[in-house]
Amino acid sequence: MDGMTTTVAATTGRSQRRVRPRHFLMCPPTHFDVSYAINPWMDPAVPVDRDRAYAQWSAVVAAYERAGHRVDRLEPVPGLPDMVFAANGATVVDGRTLLARFATPQRAAEADAHRAWHQRFGVLYGGLAGARLAEPVAVNEAEGDFAVLSSVVLAGHGYRTSPDAHAELAALTGREVVGLELVDPRFYHLDVALAVLDEDTDQVAYHPPAFSAASQRVLAQRFPDAVIADDADAYAFGLNLVGDGRHVFMPTGAVHLRTELEARGYACVELDTSELLLGGGSVKCCTQEIRSLPAPRTAGPAAGEGEPR
């Protein structure tokens, strides 16, 4: 699937939007719970319906697979209730992987599970464990704060990821990394304040008040045609979405954002993630992308060990 592109007609008169099948790593919410509060959205006093969370997560997986994307599963670990938010475990660019170093002790052990998966399967997507799997020095929460585009990586800081981690990712990948300062604790990760709609053409959406004035200027200069999310969109976690260039997989409730995206020819796939939102995450938080080297895959993980099922 790597490198393949399918053209799909847009719903408006704009240019056709293109889908490149993606490879995602996700972790079932088998042990999902809100037993502590490490972001403003978490309240341990509110009970979690784990079966409902699992059904919602499964619907996200099914939506990806219907669109032609590959989903591998990371085995959940008892006692790590936030592992469902797999985006925070590692950042993979051109087969090079920077592992996470979590900011909070409650999630620190998740890094071991991600390390083990990437050590075992990284060679299959172009990563070479010894040379391309990087152990972090600075704190970073991976794709929670790293938004990968074709020409640049946008990197959040202010709450979870250290600016020093930006230099680590730049050195590993050879990509330009542009830091963006987050200033509202409700948007503690970049992926709840900014969304990549089309990685290949550098199309983004974002919520300006989540960023410092200087970072707002950077975004306005680099992305003059960006989609702007309003307060209601942002508070509904509407920007915690995954775009594949044609489809936008997004949580329900971001009415204005959906209207804007559809006007630009995107096909919006709304997904109920209300139970997962109790942990402060939605579609993107659940999704780590494996960005391979530009070469065909000739093998996959053994059955039951990471392959789709």
PDB file of all heavy atoms in Angstrom, residues 91-124:
ATOM      1  N   THR A  91       6.969   8.992  17.341  1.00  0.00           N
ATOM      2  CA  THR A  91       6.800   9.736  16.093  1.00  0.00           C
ATOM      3  C   THR A  91       7.652   9.056  15.035  1.00  0.00           C
ATOM      4  O   THR A  91       8.862   8.881  15.228  1.00  0.00           O
ATOM      5  CB  THR A  91       7.242  11.200  16.250  1.00  0.00           C
ATOM      6  OG1 THR A  91       6.530  11.804  17.331  1.00  0.00           O
ATOM      7  CG2 THR A  91       6.974  11.982  14.967  1.00  0.00           C
ATOM      8  N   VAL A  92       7.032   8.667  13.927  1.00  0.00           N
ATOM      9  CA  VAL A  92       7.729   7.952  12.858  1.00  0.00           C
ATOM     10  C   VAL A  92       7.687   8.800  11.589  1.00  0.00           C
ATOM     11  O   VAL A  92       6.613   9.137  11.094  1.00  0.00           O
ATOM     12  CB  VAL A  92       7.088   6.577  12.584  1.00  0.00           C
ATOM     13  CG1 VAL A  92       7.898   5.816  11.527  1.00  0.00           C
ATOM     14  CG2 VAL A  92       6.984   5.760  13.867  1.00  0.00           C
ATOM     15  N   VAL A  93       8.857   9.125  11.075  1.00  0.00           N
ATOM     16  CA  VAL A  93       8.977   9.912   9.851  1.00  0.00           C
ATOM     17  C   VAL A  93      10.004   9.237   8.950  1.00  0.00           C
ATOM     18  O   VAL A  93      11.163   9.062   9.347  1.00  0.00           O
ATOM     19  CB  VAL A  93       9.412  11.362  10.148  1.00  0.00           C
ATOM     20  CG1 VAL A  93       9.518  12.160   8.847  1.00  0.00           C
ATOM     21  CG2 VAL A  93       8.441  12.040  11.101  1.00  0.00           C
ATOM     22  N   ASP A  94       9.585   8.826   7.763  1.00  0.00           N
ATOM     23  CA  ASP A  94      10.477   8.166   6.795  1.00  0.00           C
ATOM     24  C   ASP A  94      11.197   6.978   7.417  1.00  0.00           C
ATOM     25  O   ASP A  94      12.386   6.744   7.169  1.00  0.00           O
ATOM     26  CB  ASP A  94      11.505   9.165   6.250  1.00  0.00           C
ATOM     27  CG  ASP A  94      10.850  10.302   5.484  1.00  0.00           C
ATOM     28  OD1 ASP A  94       9.738  10.098   4.962  1.00  0.00           O
ATOM     29  OD2 ASP A  94      11.433  11.405   5.420  1.00  0.00           O
ATOM     30  N   GLY A  95      10.480   6.207   8.214  1.00  0.00           N
ATOM     31  CA  GLY A  95      11.057   5.029   8.823  1.00  0.00           C
ATOM     32  C   GLY A  95      11.937   5.293  10.020  1.00  0.00           C
ATOM     33  O   GLY A  95      12.477   4.357  10.611  1.00  0.00           O
ATOM     34  N   ARG A  96      12.097   6.539  10.410  1.00  0.00           N
ATOM     35  CA  ARG A  96      12.892   6.901  11.583  1.00  0.00           C
ATOM     36  C   ARG A  96      11.950   7.187  12.745  1.00  0.00           C
ATOM     37  O   ARG A  96      11.000   7.955  12.595  1.00  0.00           O
ATOM     38  CB  ARG A  96      13.772   8.106  11.280  1.00  0.00           C
ATOM     39  CG  ARG A  96      14.827   7.838  10.213  1.00  0.00           C
ATOM     40  CD  ARG A  96      15.564   9.118   9.822  1.00  0.00           C
ATOM     41  NE  ARG A  96      16.717   8.840   8.974  1.00  0.00           N
ATOM     42  CZ  ARG A  96      16.667   8.691   7.663  1.00  0.00           C
ATOM     43  NH1 ARG A  96      15.507   8.810   7.040  1.00  0.00           N
ATOM     44  NH2 ARG A  96      17.755   8.436   6.968  1.00  0.00           N
ATOM     45  N   THR A  97      12.248   6.609  13.882  1.00  0.00           N
ATOM     46  CA  THR A  97      11.322   6.665  15.012  1.00  0.00           C
ATOM     47  C   THR A  97      11.962   7.342  16.213  1.00  0.00           C
ATOM     48  O   THR A  97      13.019   6.902  16.696  1.00  0.00           O
ATOM     49  CB  THR A  97      10.891   5.244  15.409  1.00  0.00           C
ATOM     50  OG1 THR A  97      10.296   4.598  14.287  1.00  0.00           O
ATOM     51  CG2 THR A  97       9.892   5.283  16.560  1.00  0.00           C
ATOM     52  N   LEU A  98      11.328   8.406  16.693  1.00  0.00           N
ATOM     53  CA  LEU A  98      11.693   9.022  17.968  1.00  0.00           C
ATOM     54  C   LEU A  98      10.671   8.574  18.999  1.00  0.00           C
ATOM     55  O   LEU A  98       9.488   8.895  18.897  1.00  0.00           O
ATOM     56  CB  LEU A  98      11.700  10.544  17.870  1.00  0.00           C
ATOM     57  CG  LEU A  98      12.056  11.280  19.177  1.00  0.00           C
ATOM     58  CD1 LEU A  98      13.496  10.976  19.602  1.00  0.00           C
ATOM     59  CD2 LEU A  98      11.851  12.788  19.020  1.00  0.00           C
ATOM     60  N   LEU A  99      11.111   7.794  19.962  1.00  0.00           N
ATOM     61  CA  LEU A  99      10.219   7.324  21.011  1.00  0.00           C
ATOM     62  C   LEU A  99       9.823   8.469  21.938  1.00  0.00           C
ATOM     63  O   LEU A  99      10.496   9.501  21.994  1.00  0.00           O
ATOM     64  CB  LEU A  99      10.897   6.213  21.808  1.00  0.00           C
ATOM     65  CG  LEU A  99      11.193   4.932  21.028  1.00  0.00           C
ATOM     66  CD1 LEU A  99      12.099   4.016  21.834  1.00  0.00           C
ATOM     67  CD2 LEU A  99       9.894   4.210  20.659  1.00  0.00           C
ATOM     68  N   ALA A 100       8.746   8.253  22.663  1.00  0.00           N
ATOM     69  CA  ALA A 100       8.269   9.258  23.605  1.00  0.00           C
ATOM     70  C   ALA A 100       9.012   9.163  24.927  1.00  0.00           C
ATOM     71  O   ALA A 100       9.520   8.106  25.319  1.00  0.00           O
ATOM     72  CB  ALA A 100       6.775   9.081  23.846  1.00  0.00           C
ATOM     73  N   ARG A 101       9.055  10.279  25.602  1.00  0.00           N
ATOM     74  CA  ARG A 101       9.443  10.330  27.009  1.00  0.00           C
ATOM     75  C   ARG A 101       8.372  11.165  27.698  1.00  0.00           C
ATOM     76  O   ARG A 101       8.340  12.387  27.547  1.00  0.00           O
ATOM     77  CB  ARG A 101      10.821  10.950  27.201  1.00  0.00           C
ATOM     78  CG  ARG A 101      11.288  10.958  28.654  1.00  0.00           C
ATOM     79  CD  ARG A 101      12.681  11.532  28.793  1.00  0.00           C
ATOM     80  NE  ARG A 101      13.069  11.611  30.188  1.00  0.00           N
ATOM     81  CZ  ARG A 101      14.147  12.247  30.619  1.00  0.00           C
ATOM     82  NH1 ARG A 101      14.958  12.842  29.744  1.00  0.00           N
ATOM     83  NH2 ARG A 101      14.432  12.281  31.905  1.00  0.00           N
ATOM     84  N   PHE A 102       7.473  10.492  28.389  1.00  0.00           N
ATOM     85  CA  PHE A 102       6.263  11.145  28.875  1.00  0.00           C
ATOM     86  C   PHE A 102       6.563  12.170  29.972  1.00  0.00           C
ATOM     87  O   PHE A 102       7.481  11.997  30.783  1.00  0.00           O
ATOM     88  CB  PHE A 102       5.268  10.102  29.381  1.00  0.00           C
ATOM     89  CG  PHE A 102       4.605   9.330  28.276  1.00  0.00           C
ATOM     90  CD1 PHE A 102       5.173   8.169  27.775  1.00  0.00           C
ATOM     91  CD2 PHE A 102       3.421   9.785  27.720  1.00  0.00           C
ATOM     92  CE1 PHE A 102       4.572   7.460  26.750  1.00  0.00           C
ATOM     93  CE2 PHE A 102       2.805   9.079  26.689  1.00  0.00           C
ATOM     94  CZ  PHE A 102       3.386   7.922  26.204  1.00  0.00           C
ATOM     95  N   ALA A 103       5.739  13.207  29.983  1.00  0.00           N
ATOM     96  CA  ALA A 103       5.916  14.293  30.947  1.00  0.00           C
ATOM     97  C   ALA A 103       5.391  13.931  32.328  1.00  0.00           C
ATOM     98  O   ALA A 103       5.850  14.496  33.329  1.00  0.00           O
ATOM     99  CB  ALA A 103       5.213  15.557  30.443  1.00  0.00           C
ATOM    100  N   THR A 104       4.421  13.003  32.392  1.00  0.00           N
ATOM    101  CA  THR A 104       3.802  12.675  33.663  1.00  0.00           C
ATOM    102  C   THR A 104       4.152  11.245  34.077  1.00  0.00           C
ATOM    103  O   THR A 104       4.208  10.346  33.232  1.00  0.00           O
ATOM    104  CB  THR A 104       2.269  12.812  33.579  1.00  0.00           C
ATOM    105  OG1 THR A 104       1.780  11.926  32.562  1.00  0.00           O
ATOM    106  CG2 THR A 104       1.873  14.243  33.234  1.00  0.00           C
ATOM    107  N   PRO A 105       4.350  11.013  35.379  1.00  0.00           N
ATOM    108  CA  PRO A 105       4.720   9.656  35.813  1.00  0.00           C
ATOM    109  C   PRO A 105       3.631   8.624  35.555  1.00  0.00           C
ATOM    110  O   PRO A 105       3.928   7.437  35.393  1.00  0.00           O
ATOM    111  CB  PRO A 105       4.994   9.825  37.313  1.00  0.00           C
ATOM    112  CG  PRO A 105       4.287  11.084  37.712  1.00  0.00           C
ATOM    113  CD  PRO A 105       4.332  11.970  36.503  1.00  0.00           C
ATOM    114  N   GLN A 106       2.380   9.049  35.501  1.00  0.00           N
ATOM    115  CA  GLN A 106       1.280   8.110  35.295  1.00  0.00           C
ATOM    116  C   GLN A 106       1.391   7.388  33.951  1.00  0.00           C
ATOM    117  O   GLN A 106       0.909   6.267  33.801  1.00  0.00           O
ATOM    118  CB  GLN A 106      -0.072   8.826  35.384  1.00  0.00           C
ATOM    119  CG  GLN A 106      -0.410   9.352  36.772  1.00  0.00           C
ATOM    120  CD  GLN A 106       0.079  10.767  36.991  1.00  0.00           C
ATOM    121  OE1 GLN A 106       0.999  11.246  36.298  1.00  0.00           O
ATOM    122  NE2 GLN A 106      -0.514  11.454  37.949  1.00  0.00           N
ATOM    123  N   ARG A 107       2.004   8.015  32.962  1.00  0.00           N
ATOM    124  CA  ARG A 107       2.069   7.430  31.622  1.00  0.00           C
ATOM    125  C   ARG A 107       3.469   6.945  31.245  1.00  0.00           C
ATOM    126  O   ARG A 107       3.647   6.395  30.153  1.00  0.00           O
ATOM    127  CB  ARG A 107       1.581   8.442  30.587  1.00  0.00           C
ATOM    128  CG  ARG A 107       0.142   8.899  30.785  1.00  0.00           C
ATOM    129  CD  ARG A 107      -0.398   9.613  29.564  1.00  0.00           C
ATOM    130  NE  ARG A 107      -0.497   8.721  28.427  1.00  0.00           N
ATOM    131  CZ  ARG A 107      -0.860   9.113  27.193  1.00  0.00           C
ATOM    132  NH1 ARG A 107      -1.149  10.388  26.969  1.00  0.00           N
ATOM    133  NH2 ARG A 107      -0.930   8.238  26.199  1.00  0.00           N
ATOM    134  N   ALA A 108       4.445   7.127  32.118  1.00  0.00           N
ATOM    135  CA  ALA A 108       5.837   6.862  31.750  1.00  0.00           C
ATOM    136  C   ALA A 108       6.062   5.445  31.227  1.00  0.00           C
ATOM    137  O   ALA A 108       6.814   5.231  30.265  1.00  0.00           O
ATOM    138  CB  ALA A 108       6.740   7.138  32.941  1.00  0.00           C
ATOM    139  N   ALA A 109       5.408   4.447  31.832  1.00  0.00           N
ATOM    140  CA  ALA A 109       5.649   3.055  31.460  1.00  0.00           C
ATOM    141  C   ALA A 109       5.106   2.712  30.071  1.00  0.00           C
ATOM    142  O   ALA A 109       5.477   1.671  29.508  1.00  0.00           O
ATOM    143  CB  ALA A 109       5.037   2.123  32.499  1.00  0.00           C
ATOM    144  N   GLU A 110       4.245   3.558  29.502  1.00  0.00           N
ATOM    145  CA  GLU A 110       3.744   3.290  28.154  1.00  0.00           C
ATOM    146  C   GLU A 110       4.873   3.267  27.129  1.00  0.00           C
ATOM    147  O   GLU A 110       4.800   2.564  26.117  1.00  0.00           O
ATOM    148  CB  GLU A 110       2.719   4.352  27.746  1.00  0.00           C
ATOM    149  CG  GLU A 110       1.439   4.334  28.553  1.00  0.00           C
ATOM    150  CD  GLU A 110       0.476   5.424  28.114  1.00  0.00           C
ATOM    151  OE1 GLU A 110       0.427   5.718  26.905  1.00  0.00           O
ATOM    152  OE2 GLU A 110      -0.217   5.986  28.979  1.00  0.00           O
ATOM    153  N   ALA A 111       5.932   4.035  27.409  1.00  0.00           N
ATOM    154  CA  ALA A 111       7.043   4.110  26.460  1.00  0.00           C
ATOM    155  C   ALA A 111       7.662   2.740  26.216  1.00  0.00           C
ATOM    156  O   ALA A 111       8.118   2.446  25.101  1.00  0.00           O
ATOM    157  CB  ALA A 111       8.092   5.092  26.967  1.00  0.00           C
ATOM    158  N   ASP A 112       7.676   1.895  27.233  1.00  0.00           N
ATOM    159  CA  ASP A 112       8.275   0.570  27.079  1.00  0.00           C
ATOM    160  C   ASP A 112       7.502  -0.277  26.063  1.00  0.00           C
ATOM    161  O   ASP A 112       8.095  -1.002  25.258  1.00  0.00           O
ATOM    162  CB  ASP A 112       8.312  -0.157  28.422  1.00  0.00           C
ATOM    163  CG  ASP A 112       9.257   0.501  29.416  1.00  0.00           C
ATOM    164  OD1 ASP A 112      10.207   1.177  28.972  1.00  0.00           O
ATOM    165  OD2 ASP A 112       9.038   0.346  30.631  1.00  0.00           O
ATOM    166  N   ALA A 113       6.182  -0.196  26.097  1.00  0.00           N
ATOM    167  CA  ALA A 113       5.365  -0.964  25.153  1.00  0.00           C
ATOM    168  C   ALA A 113       5.577  -0.483  23.725  1.00  0.00           C
ATOM    169  O   ALA A 113       5.665  -1.294  22.784  1.00  0.00           O
ATOM    170  CB  ALA A 113       3.889  -0.858  25.545  1.00  0.00           C
ATOM    171  N   HIS A 114       5.678   0.824  23.544  1.00  0.00           N
ATOM    172  CA  HIS A 114       5.924   1.354  22.204  1.00  0.00           C
ATOM    173  C   HIS A 114       7.330   0.991  21.728  1.00  0.00           C
ATOM    174  O   HIS A 114       7.518   0.636  20.554  1.00  0.00           O
ATOM    175  CB  HIS A 114       5.720   2.863  22.199  1.00  0.00           C
ATOM    176  CG  HIS A 114       4.283   3.271  22.255  1.00  0.00           C
ATOM    177  ND1 HIS A 114       3.523   3.447  21.114  1.00  0.00           N
ATOM    178  CD2 HIS A 114       3.455   3.508  23.302  1.00  0.00           C
ATOM    179  CE1 HIS A 114       2.284   3.784  21.466  1.00  0.00           C
ATOM    180  NE2 HIS A 114       2.224   3.827  22.785  1.00  0.00           N
ATOM    181  N   ARG A 115       8.290   1.070  22.616  1.00  0.00           N
ATOM    182  CA  ARG A 115       9.652   0.689  22.243  1.00  0.00           C
ATOM    183  C   ARG A 115       9.688  -0.755  21.755  1.00  0.00           C
ATOM    184  O   ARG A 115      10.295  -1.058  20.720  1.00  0.00           O
ATOM    185  CB  ARG A 115      10.593   0.860  23.441  1.00  0.00           C
ATOM    186  CG  ARG A 115      12.044   0.454  23.131  1.00  0.00           C
ATOM    187  CD  ARG A 115      12.931   0.530  24.365  1.00  0.00           C
ATOM    188  NE  ARG A 115      12.996   1.889  24.879  1.00  0.00           N
ATOM    189  CZ  ARG A 115      12.341   2.321  25.965  1.00  0.00           C
ATOM    190  NH1 ARG A 115      11.554   1.478  26.653  1.00  0.00           N
ATOM    191  NH2 ARG A 115      12.457   3.561  26.364  1.00  0.00           N
ATOM    192  N   ALA A 116       9.052  -1.644  22.491  1.00  0.00           N
ATOM    193  CA  ALA A 116       9.066  -3.065  22.126  1.00  0.00           C
ATOM    194  C   ALA A 116       8.428  -3.287  20.764  1.00  0.00           C
ATOM    195  O   ALA A 116       8.932  -4.080  19.945  1.00  0.00           O
ATOM    196  CB  ALA A 116       8.352  -3.885  23.196  1.00  0.00           C
ATOM    197  N   TRP A 117       7.311  -2.613  20.489  1.00  0.00           N
ATOM    198  CA  TRP A 117       6.642  -2.795  19.195  1.00  0.00           C
ATOM    199  C   TRP A 117       7.531  -2.307  18.057  1.00  0.00           C
ATOM    200  O   TRP A 117       7.702  -2.992  17.036  1.00  0.00           O
ATOM    201  CB  TRP A 117       5.305  -2.059  19.175  1.00  0.00           C
ATOM    202  CG  TRP A 117       4.458  -2.435  17.995  1.00  0.00           C
ATOM    203  CD1 TRP A 117       3.512  -3.419  17.933  1.00  0.00           C
ATOM    204  CD2 TRP A 117       4.502  -1.840  16.677  1.00  0.00           C
ATOM    205  NE1 TRP A 117       2.975  -3.482  16.671  1.00  0.00           N
ATOM    206  CE2 TRP A 117       3.546  -2.532  15.881  1.00  0.00           C
ATOM    207  CE3 TRP A 117       5.241  -0.815  16.112  1.00  0.00           C
ATOM    208  CZ2 TRP A 117       3.326  -2.209  14.544  1.00  0.00           C
ATOM    209  CZ3 TRP A 117       5.034  -0.497  14.768  1.00  0.00           C
ATOM    210  CH2 TRP A 117       4.077  -1.189  14.003  1.00  0.00           C
ATOM    211  N   HIS A 118       8.112  -1.123  18.228  1.00  0.00           N
ATOM    212  CA  HIS A 118       8.929  -0.569  17.146  1.00  0.00           C
ATOM    213  C   HIS A 118      10.237  -1.340  16.972  1.00  0.00           C
ATOM    214  O   HIS A 118      10.726  -1.476  15.842  1.00  0.00           O
ATOM    215  CB  HIS A 118       9.189   0.921  17.401  1.00  0.00           C
ATOM    216  CG  HIS A 118       7.994   1.773  17.130  1.00  0.00           C
ATOM    217  ND1 HIS A 118       7.613   2.132  15.857  1.00  0.00           N
ATOM    218  CD2 HIS A 118       7.062   2.314  17.968  1.00  0.00           C
ATOM    219  CE1 HIS A 118       6.513   2.868  15.919  1.00  0.00           C
ATOM    220  NE2 HIS A 118       6.160   2.981  17.185  1.00  0.00           N
ATOM    221  N   GLN A 119      10.806  -1.857  18.033  1.00  0.00           N
ATOM    222  CA  GLN A 119      11.998  -2.691  17.892  1.00  0.00           C
ATOM    223  C   GLN A 119      11.687  -3.962  17.106  1.00  0.00           C
ATOM    224  O   GLN A 119      12.496  -4.427  16.303  1.00  0.00           O
ATOM    225  CB  GLN A 119      12.544  -3.054  19.272  1.00  0.00           C
ATOM    226  CG  GLN A 119      13.275  -1.926  19.962  1.00  0.00           C
ATOM    227  CD  GLN A 119      13.720  -2.289  21.358  1.00  0.00           C
ATOM    228  OE1 GLN A 119      13.123  -3.138  22.017  1.00  0.00           O
ATOM    229  NE2 GLN A 119      14.772  -1.638  21.837  1.00  0.00           N
ATOM    230  N   ARG A 120      10.510  -4.515  17.333  1.00  0.00           N
ATOM    231  CA  ARG A 120      10.158  -5.776  16.690  1.00  0.00           C
ATOM    232  C   ARG A 120       9.730  -5.606  15.246  1.00  0.00           C
ATOM    233  O   ARG A 120      10.081  -6.404  14.373  1.00  0.00           O
ATOM    234  CB  ARG A 120       9.044  -6.447  17.482  1.00  0.00           C
ATOM    235  CG  ARG A 120       8.712  -7.837  16.962  1.00  0.00           C
ATOM    236  CD  ARG A 120       7.891  -8.610  17.940  1.00  0.00           C
ATOM    237  NE  ARG A 120       7.779 -10.005  17.545  1.00  0.00           N
ATOM    238  CZ  ARG A 120       7.101 -10.907  18.239  1.00  0.00           C
ATOM    239  NH1 ARG A 120       6.496 -10.565  19.352  1.00  0.00           N
ATOM    240  NH2 ARG A 120       7.039 -12.156  17.816  1.00  0.00           N
ATOM    241  N   PHE A 121       8.949  -4.556  14.966  1.00  0.00           N
ATOM    242  CA  PHE A 121       8.335  -4.425  13.654  1.00  0.00           C
ATOM    243  C   PHE A 121       8.885  -3.285  12.812  1.00  0.00           C
ATOM    244  O   PHE A 121       8.521  -3.144  11.656  1.00  0.00           O
ATOM    245  CB  PHE A 121       6.821  -4.255  13.796  1.00  0.00           C
ATOM    246  CG  PHE A 121       6.156  -5.426  14.469  1.00  0.00           C
ATOM    247  CD1 PHE A 121       5.364  -5.232  15.587  1.00  0.00           C
ATOM    248  CD2 PHE A 121       6.333  -6.712  13.996  1.00  0.00           C
ATOM    249  CE1 PHE A 121       4.742  -6.303  16.216  1.00  0.00           C
ATOM    250  CE2 PHE A 121       5.724  -7.795  14.620  1.00  0.00           C
ATOM    251  CZ  PHE A 121       4.925  -7.590  15.734  1.00  0.00           C
ATOM    252  N   GLY A 122       9.762  -2.460  13.397  1.00  0.00           N
ATOM    253  CA  GLY A 122      10.240  -1.288  12.672  1.00  0.00           C
ATOM    254  C   GLY A 122      10.918  -1.601  11.360  1.00  0.00           C
ATOM    255  O   GLY A 122      10.770  -0.882  10.375  1.00  0.00           O
ATOM    256  N   VAL A 123      11.667  -2.688  11.310  1.00  0.00           N
ATOM    257  CA  VAL A 123      12.366  -3.030  10.082  1.00  0.00           C
ATOM    258  C   VAL A 123      11.393  -3.288   8.935  1.00  0.00           C
ATOM    259  O   VAL A 123      11.723  -3.113   7.760  1.00  0.00           O
ATOM    260  CB  VAL A 123      13.286  -4.251  10.317  1.00  0.00           C
ATOM    261  CG1 VAL A 123      12.474  -5.521  10.550  1.00  0.00           C
ATOM    262  CG2 VAL A 123      14.250  -4.431   9.144  1.00  0.00           C
ATOM    263  N   LEU A 124      10.168  -3.666   9.254  1.00  0.00           N
ATOM    264  CA  LEU A 124       9.189  -3.980   8.214  1.00  0.00           C
ATOM    265  C   LEU A 124       8.671  -2.735   7.515  1.00  0.00           C
ATOM    266  O   LEU A 124       8.152  -2.807   6.413  1.00  0.00           O
ATOM    267  CB  LEU A 124       8.009  -4.758   8.824  1.00  0.00           C
ATOM    268  CG  LEU A 124       8.389  -6.072   9.517  1.00  0.00           C
ATOM    269  CD1 LEU A 124       7.147  -6.726  10.100  1.00  0.00           C
ATOM    270  CD2 LEU A 124       9.075  -7.023   8.536  1.00  0.00           C
TER     271      LEU A 124
END
